[in-house]
Amino acid sequence: MWIDTSQATHVLKQYSETNSMWTTISPTYVRIHIEGIGKNFEVGDGVSMMGIQNEQLSHLNGNHTVVCGKGENYIMVEGMVDGRVYQNLPI
């Protein structure tokens, strides 16, 4: 597997022996860790986020997305990021 960064939107790719080519893996997920955030959401809830400053995740600003997973201190939404991203400002 590898992250294809050749385009503005990065995608996760995996080699398919059946098709003898690299294929895009979709969907991929982003885990957002904020103390206590999971207490207020359930899987399947829609969320709208604002204040995300990282360029790789800025597409989530203002968009409605669905919570795909959760724990007490995190939620997971569909998205892609090349590595760990930290932001200390609130979203």
Side-chain angles (χ1 to χ4, degrees):
M1 283 191 225
W2 64 288
I3 297 174
D4 182 355
T5 60
S6 63
Q7 303 294 320
T9 301
H10 300 173
V11 293
L12 184 62
K13 300 239 178 171
Q14 180 176 15
Y15 191 77
S16 168
E17 299 232 355
T18 303
N19 298 323
S20 298
M21 62 187 285
W22 289 95
T23 57
T24 299
I25 296 176
S26 181
T28 56
Y29 301 96
V30 174
R31 180 174 165 161
I32 300 169
H33 177 91
I34 300 172
E35 192 71 33
I37 192 170
K39 296 176 186 178
N40 299 317
F41 294 104
E42 295 297 330
V43 171
D45 283 354
V47 297
S48 180
M49 293 180 259
M50 297 298 290
I52 298 173
Q53 296 182 344
N54 181 274
E55 185 177 325
Q56 292 181 53
L57 294 175
S58 63
H59 66 280
L60 293 174
N61 280 323
N63 288 335
H64 297 284
T65 188
V66 175
V67 175
C68 303
K70 69 167 233 147
E72 184 175 330
N73 296 314
Y74 71 89
I75 59 171
M76 292 173 54
V77 297
E78 192 172 320
M80 180 70 187
V81 65
D82 295 350
R84 287 187 174 187
V85 174
Y86 297 95
Q87 177 174 315
N88 292 324
L89 299 172
I91 62 170

